[in-house]
Each structure stands twice: as structure tokens, then as C-alpha cells.
Amino acid sequence: VFYSVIPAASYTDSSDDETSPRDKQQKNSKGNSDFCVKNIKQAEFGRREIEIAEQGFPVFAWKGESEDDFWWCIDRCVNVEGWQPNMILDDGGDLTHWIYKKYPNMFKKIKGIVEESVTGVHRLYQLSKAGKLCVPAMNVNDSVTKQKFDNLYCCRESILDGLKRTTDMMFGGKQVVVCGYGEVGKGCCAALKAMGSIVYVTEIDPICALQACMDGFRLVKLNEVIRQVDIVITCTGNKNVVTREHLDRMKNSCIVCNMGHSNTEIDVASLRTPELTWERVRSQVDHVIWPDGKRIVLLAEGRLLNLSCSTVPTFVLSITATTQALALIELYNAPEGRYKQDVYLLPKKMDEYVASLHLPTFDAHLTELTDEQAKYLGLNKNGPFKPNYYRCLGLPIK
């Protein structure tokens, strides 16, 4: 096995052209150059998707973007002469943040924001609380269909897939600590437990902590188990959950990865120091080696494991895309005054509609209420069947 040893420096895969995509002059099959991807020649297998993108949807994205590249791509999508968006569809809040910071005048004609991530929704609530939210925003993340499929069911499968693809490890008997027992953490824990792993959980929320205990997981502080665990998985949506102090105390060959938000959960920046050596094992897999020879296995440089090292099933994409589309339509078509400059949940009727559209996949047949039953429950026969604050566990959103 060949290992390329690069001490604490930025690098790309040896198979990649080290020239930044921003410096390349590339054209697609139509002769257009209004895009920036890593290598347009690699797109042949996805020709149908590329042909759709070539009809007026400019794409600015490539795998392995630096922080500067990331913000540059966002700016190129927004900063177009003579172009004015009327809606924002965001995942993480970065696009909203960029427009708010660089192009605040755009909000004069923007009718609403649709946000689908935990972190992005949190940022919207912060803006709303401070009285700085300029337009209505729809919180798609906390719709039940999105929470359960994108966060719980999808992550329940992709955590194992991502770890297998990168490390080829066996899960039976491995000691794993999962930081956070929200929907993502619940999915990861369920999958690992089913594979025979010994699973510990860290939590700050007593309700989620109690759920972890009732599901048979040991609730601990990270410091209590950091020396003994084989795998550390972050699922919190927070920052600096795994610090340099934790990383220093991990045992040799401990695997560290993130299923939460962006690359903020693991303090990767603290590892880019002269005394540590970075060794690229394969794509998305690095060994970080301490002076005494101890090494940890860092996956995807702390970015999202399921997006970097696994796949998102088209079924899940269909559910989230449908939810987002309905939220966009609702905000855009809403009569003036229905939505104020605040954050709203997706109407329950729409949430149920998204689910009903996907039931035929399973050849599922819904039971219908009789008139007598509907009257007894005080419901419309066609729904909504639950109050808007219902989140499957019956917990209202903050």
C-alpha cells in the first residue's frame, strides 16, 4: 500500500489535477462556460443531469472545495448583473447569510426563505429573535417527513455505508460514542447497535438523554470514554464538540467522523500543526500521526460523512425536494399578511401530503375514517390528522 505523507498542509488527491477549478477555462458540450466544476470531462456518465444543467441553470460546485472556494461559488450564484431572486432555498443558512451580509438590498424583492437544516433553522430563529429577519421563513427541517427520512432513516443506513467504504471495518464489539441523540444520532445509534457495537451517547438535552437511556444506550460525558472508544461520531449541529484535548487523548487507530453540520463539530484546524503528520491513505481517509506514533483515522477531514463518503438515496431526495418545493410554493403564493417576518413550520396538511405521495412506492393502502370516526376525533376525513406542533413524539418546537 502506498501512503503519501504530507505534513500538516493542504493537499488534493494524487489523482486530481492540482489546478484550482477557478483557474481553468472549461466549456460544456454546448460551448458554454458559465459554470465552475472540477472536471467537466468526468460528467459523461451523468449526461442527462448535465444536459438539464446546461439549459440555464448555472452550476458552481466541485468536490474538495476550500473555504474560500465555497464562498466564491455562493457569490457567483448570487452576484449576477441584472438578476434578482424572489425566493431563497437554503441548506445550512450560508446562502441566506451571504445575501444578508453582502447584498441586503436583494431582500426588498425576496418573498421568503425555505431552510431545511438544523443549523440553518437555528440561525433563522436567531435572526428572528434579534428582529433582523427581513422576510418570512419556512422551517422545513422540523417537518416530520424531513426529520424522519433525511435525518433518521437515511442516516441509519448511510453511517454504516460511509464507515464501510472508507475503513472496511467490522462493527461487532467495537466501542462507539455518538455525540448527540437527535434524529441523526438516533439513526446512527440504532444501526450500530444492530451490528453488535457497544454504543455510548453524549447529550445536553435531558429529554433526548432520557430517550437514549430508554433505548438501551449508556449516557456519558465524552471525557469519560474518550480513551477507550474505537469510533467517535458527532451528530450535534454544534461546534468544537471534539476538541484537540479529546483528540490528544484518543487511543491509537480511533476513527473520528462527523454526521452533524458542516465541518465545525470536530476541531480539525487544531490538527494542522507542525508536530503532527498527515498521511493520506485513500480518498476521504487521513491518518493524523502524533510524535509518539499514535495515529487517529480522520474521515472526510471532518466534513459530513454521509455526503462525502456515502450516497443519499433518490427516495430520500424525492421526499426532501417535494417538501421544499411545496414550502416555496406556499410562501410565494401566500396572500399578503399571512406570513410575517418570522419563522414558520410547514403546514401539517402539506407534510402529510408529501408522505401520501410516496406511499405508492410501498404499495401501501391508507385506511380511511368513517364519518362517525372523523366526528368522534374532531378531524376532517382528509386531514390534517395531527396538530401543527406534532413531531411524532408529541414535542413542540422551541
Side-chain angles (χ1 to χ4, degrees), residues 128-324:
S128 178
K129 188 175 181 180
K132 296 180 179 179
L133 190 60
C134 305
V135 296
M138 193 72 79
N139 170 3
V140 167
N141 176 73
D142 289 304
S143 63
V144 176
T145 45
K146 196 277 179 184
Q147 279 269 318
K148 292 301 176 184
F149 283 88
D150 202 39
N151 294 10
L152 193 151
Y153 299 127
C154 185
C155 292
R156 189 174 67 183
E157 299 191 20
S158 61
I159 181 61
L160 301 181
D161 183 40
L163 286 170
K164 279 288 189 184
R165 287 177 190 240
T166 50
T167 66
D168 301 316
M169 65 174 296
M170 289 191 70
F171 299 103
K174 293 292 192 302
Q175 296 194 57
V176 185
V177 59
V178 176
C179 301
Y181 201 67
E183 297 300 313
V184 174
K186 287 180 175 70
C188 292
C189 287
L192 291 160
K193 182 179 180 180
M195 296 301 292
S197 298
I198 302 163
V199 183
Y200 303 98
V201 172
T202 72
E203 248 302 340
I204 61 166
D205 184 330
I207 296 176
C208 292
L210 188 58
Q211 287 178 292
C213 293
M214 292 302 293
D215 287 335
F217 300 110
R218 174 84 182 278
L219 191 77
V220 298
K221 292 183 177 179
L222 187 56
N223 282 331
E224 297 171 353
V225 295
I226 197 64
R227 289 188 182 277
Q228 69 194 62
V229 293
D230 302 294
I231 311 172
V232 178
I233 304 170
T234 54
C235 310
T236 70
N238 207 338
K239 64 182 292 187
N240 294 335
V241 176
V242 176
T243 65
R244 175 62 189 268
E245 181 184 358
H246 293 128
L247 294 158
D248 285 338
R249 295 176 60 205
M250 289 177 185
K251 71 179 187 181
N252 187 45
S253 298
C254 182
I255 298 168
V256 187
C257 63
N258 171 39
M259 289 285 287
H261 173 66
S262 188
N263 58 351
T264 62
E265 305 217 15
I266 302 165
D267 188 7
V268 176
S270 70
L271 296 176
R272 298 193 182 280
T273 54
E275 76 272 15
L276 301 182
T277 301
W278 285 59
E279 186 175 86
R280 174 54 56 98
V281 180
R282 60 169 73 100
S283 177
Q284 308 295 344
V285 182
D286 292 300
H287 283 180
V288 183
I289 308 171
W290 270 249
D292 63 359
K294 184 198 91 168
R295 62 181 63 200
I296 65 165
V297 183
L298 179 64
L299 305 182
E301 297 183 62
R303 296 184 298 273
L304 284 167
L305 178 73
N306 55 338
L307 299 186
S308 300
C309 309
S310 182
T311 61
V312 180
T314 54
F315 183 70
V316 170
L317 289 176
S318 175
I319 289 172
T320 53
T322 304
T323 308
Q324 291 166 342

